[in-house]
Amino acid sequence: MTKKGLWNTIARICILTAPLLATQPDATAQKRDPMAMPVVEEDSIMKHIIELSSETYEGRLAGTMGYDRAVKYVEQVLLSYGTQITEQRFNIECNEVENCKFNIYTPGSKDKRIFTLGNEFCCAGMTGRGYVDAQMVFCGYGIAEEGFNDYKSVDVKGKIVVLLTGTPNGSWLPADIVNHYTTLRDKARAAEKHGALGVLAINMSESCLPYEVQGRVYCGELPHLATFPVLQLTLNCGRELFWGEAMSLDSAVNAINSDHLSHSFALLKKAEVDVNAVYRQRAVTANVWGLMQGYDSKFDDELIVVGASLDHVGMQGETCLFPGADINASGVAAVLETARLLSQPQFRPRRSVLFVLFSGGEQQFLGSRIFLSNFPKLRKIEAFVNVQNIGYGDSIVVLGDNRYPTLWDIARVRDSANHSLLWHNPEATNPRGDARGFDIIGIPSLVFTTLNGLHHNHVTSDIWENIDRRMLTGTTQVVVETVRELTDGVYRGRSLKSKAMRFVE
């Protein structure tokens, strides 16, 4: 064969084989089995929960060194899975309680009942600092309105107000009054306006047991009452204040809710409160992003976001730690486990996945709102999968079926095929929490959580030893399988998005 003939033959071979070569998947795609599903490892998830709920992170209060250590931990984990890390820093209100003393006594008696921080009481998240020694006055729900006034028949000037958290049962008060007294700051402002020096709020929440200390960060809108101490007592501790008084606590509460009248009265006992707290209105915190690049360039303009709140309610003094194992180290661990499994060559995603750990979840989900306000590529997001509190319970709840039934059905099918843990709610639900902001601007969203007989809601007993490992592992498996399916390119979220997406950029 002549040289010319040889080159012509080579050219023909190249022309014939070029389309075949062009369509060959890359090395990652060749290793990837589209039918295979990753298998969650219990020890891998629990390792993260045990770590993040330890004293090292001091309850992960946003704006503190403990939270910053949690940020570094999740960054190192995500980096080890090959993601590209970004920190999104922003300002947040932060109050660190360094110590608090609280006791009660009857004037003339040498005996004092000394309560223990973290055992019988804690400080409100945004308590003021200061020392108060004064008589206690019970003022019901702490409402001061023309139609219903707990302060009308009592003098609280120079005294400590004892009140109930929340608002009265039923709907016998106008909605505008109820809405105006839903937070401890609302109640504290009313007490301060009437001359009180501090507040002892008895926790009436049904989300914890009568003897459990429950922490909260968000206490209502600014301004901060810098020198006005506000404590939150367990229900049992509150009952003890009323021993030997004109009415028991339960009798007073029942009277208010039955006859719809104020039953305020001065107690015989006095209280001594000493709070040492360091307040910063503009502390620095951060969201963490970890981008896992999809292998298929055809989906470069599409993105799946998987997220969870990283922060919790912190630590007060040396005796009051809120570990946050379920809330929300469990959700963070599920996100990290999803990243680990998708980093394996056989499970690498076609679409890119952005793993986001939000700060400010305990402050009206500030971190997710900051993310949505600043993320430059919102139009690329095909779906948002949120994981919150999956460490207790007996079934999975997936919020979002009302708004995004096609997306929700993927989770339902994955669960039905392998797990049968999903609770089929007869009433359709919308996304909540961190997912609420995504939903508002039309990004299809799901929230994975668990249905709990007793929800350990921001209490000191939310420790890793109490995690339901079966529920944790099963829920994480459904999360992973759902995300895996969302990354394969078949699901099309954009056609389901609302017109609101036109206005987000």
Side-chain angles (χ1 to χ4, degrees), residues 44 95 104 150 270 278 283 300 318 327-328 376-377 428 447 463:
S44 177
N95 196 32
I104 59 174
D150 283 311
K270 299 179 76 173
V278 178
D300 278 350
E318 297 181 354
I327 309 177
N328 182 39
K377 298 177 180 179
V447 181
I463 57 179

Side-chain angles (χ1 to χ4, degrees), residues 369-381:
R369 290 188 280 129
I370 293 289
F371 172 84
L372 290 167
S373 298
N374 295 275
F375 187 64
K377 298 177 180 179
L378 287 178
R379 291 184 182 274
K380 294 181 65 173
I381 301 175

Side-chain angles (χ1 to χ4, degrees), residues 40-59:
V40 166
E41 294 182 7
E42 179 185 297
D43 289 345
S44 177
I45 316 172
M46 284 302 303
K47 176 183 67 175
H48 301 309
I49 294 176
I50 292 170
E51 179 68 22
L52 289 170
S53 61
S54 69
E55 287 192 16
T56 300
Y57 304 94
E58 299 175 340

Side-chain angles (χ1 to χ4, degrees), residues 88-104:
Q88 182 184 37
R89 293 193 167 269
F90 57 95
N91 294 321
I92 197 166
E93 191 180 11
C94 178
N95 196 32
E96 295 184 78
V97 177
E98 296 186 342
N99 196 16
C100 178
K101 296 179 181 179
F102 166 51
N103 58 68
I104 59 174

